[in-house]
């Protein structure tokens, strides 16, 4: 199996799980089923809110876990000096919603600049 096939299989599995969560959201929104007065636009609005929340929760969790892997220090991308990492919150627009990324940020006292250890950019 190629990595592309494995990736597509994983995406399909995740989507099937999310379909099940969509059913849970529908039951949460309308425990007795939607009345005849509920429009399709209202149902879409609920589904979109759930989708945005799902994207936010998933992206923030994954990037947070990834950020923990960087440890306490990282080399400055300009001079190479090892610098302490702090956590900085950065709101972002991502596909399907918004998320606040908590990223490890280094501050190099030699270069007097901050850098994001995730991308190595200043
Ligand atoms: Zn530096």
């Amino acid at each position: 199996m190629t990595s592309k096939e494995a990736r597509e299989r994983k995406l399909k599995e995740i989507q099937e799980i999310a379909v099940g969560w969509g059913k849970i959201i529908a039951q949460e929104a309308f425990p007795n089923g939607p009345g005849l007065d509920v429009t399709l636009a209202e149902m879409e609005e609920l589904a979109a809110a759930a989708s945005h929340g799902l994207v936010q929760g998933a992206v923030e969790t994954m990037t947070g876990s990834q950020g923990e892997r960087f440890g306490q220090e990282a080399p400055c991308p300009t001079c190479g000096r090892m610098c302490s990492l702090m956590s900085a919150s950065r709101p972002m627009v991502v596909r399907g919603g918004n998320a606040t990324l908590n990223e490890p940020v280094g501050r190099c006292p030699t270069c007097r600049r901050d850098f994001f250890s995730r991308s190595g950019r200043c």
Side-chain angles (χ1 to χ4, degrees):
M1 181 181 299
T2 67
S3 62
K4 183 181 177 188
E5 289 170 338
R7 180 179 149 80
E8 288 175 357
R9 174 181 279 185
K10 186 69 172 177
L11 290 174
K12 187 173 167 63
E13 286 174 13
I14 293 295
Q15 188 171 359
E16 288 171 3
I17 291 168
V19 168
W21 291 337
K23 292 176 182 176
I24 292 169
I25 293 295
Q27 289 173 343
E28 184 69 31
F30 301 104
N32 299 318
L36 297 177
D37 59 327
V38 178
T39 65
L40 177 59
E42 291 169 323
M43 294 179 204
E44 284 180 316
E45 186 178 38
L46 280 165
S51 174
H52 293 165
L54 181 67
V55 167
Q56 178 184 0
V59 169
E60 288 179 356
T61 299
M62 290 185 284
T63 57
S65 296
Q66 196 175 46
E68 291 172 2
R69 291 177 179 252
F70 284 96
Q72 302 296 315
E73 292 185 321
C76 169
T78 303
C79 71
R81 177 178 174 168
M82 289 304 286
C83 302
S84 295
L85 296 176
M86 306 169 290
S87 181
S89 295
R90 187 162 61 115
M92 288 195 69
V93 176
V94 295
R95 272 193 292 173
N98 299 299
T100 299
L101 308 187
N102 286 312
E103 297 183 304
V105 177
R107 172 167 290 160
C108 180
T110 303
C111 300
R112 296 186 179 186
R113 63 192 320 177
D114 293 344
F115 63 91
F116 292 94
S117 60
R118 181 183 311 278
S119 62
R121 72 186 193 288
C122 296

